[in-house]
Amino acid sequence: MTFDDVCAIAMTWPGVERGTSYGTPALKVKGKMLARLREDGETLVMPGVGPDEREMLIEAEPEVFHVTPHYRDWPTVLMRLPKADPRAVEALLLRRWREVAPKRLVQAFDAAKG
């Protein structure tokens, strides 16, 4: 996967917009960060993943998921996009979108899906 692939997934959801965060490309929902690309151009910073889940993800797929000391105390996991399964990326992104999107957008999205 690439960041363009990530954008193609997330831009189909209401309120998602491209932006920047810490000088790198990012996806936001009404100004709140959904995810961002790290400076290496291949690692996705995925907020909203607590330490227990992060540990489980890293243990299950260390070639995809990891964390640096900078993110150790934050509910964040790093994903190596070239090795990531698009379904896993979409699942984490969608969950994060549901956390940060305004409730009216989430309700409209759910209603449209049936």
Side-chain angles (χ1 to χ4, degrees):
M1 287 198 75
T2 66
F3 189 69
D4 286 339
D5 297 326
V6 172
C7 292
I9 292 167
M11 295 295 290
T12 64
W13 304 328
V16 176
E17 53 205 21
R18 287 179 180 252
T20 59
S21 180
Y22 299 100
T24 63
L27 291 168
K28 297 181 178 186
V29 180
K30 301 294 182 185
K32 296 179 183 176
M33 191 171 72
L34 181 60
R36 79 171 184 93
L37 191 63
R38 286 196 75 200
E39 295 76 8
D40 65 7
E42 293 189 340
T43 303
L44 189 69
V45 178
M46 190 68 247
V49 179
D52 291 340
E53 181 183 12
R54 179 177 63 205
E55 185 178 318
M56 180 198 69
L57 290 169
I58 292 170
E59 188 173 309
E61 295 184 79
E63 68 283 357
V64 176
F65 298 100
H66 65 108
V67 68
T68 63
H70 174 77
Y71 292 103
R72 188 167 293 134
D73 295 330
W74 297 95
T76 300
V77 72
L78 304 176
M79 300 177 72
R80 294 178 183 98
L81 288 175
K83 297 180 183 224
D85 180 331
R87 293 169 299 183
V89 173
E90 183 173 5
L92 286 172
L93 278 172
L94 184 58
R95 186 178 77 192
R96 176 69 177 166
W97 176 82
R98 289 180 173 284
E99 291 171 0
V100 298
K103 295 208 183 307
R104 64 178 173 74
L105 291 182
V106 175
Q107 291 169 345
F109 177 78
D110 290 343
K113 287 223 157 222

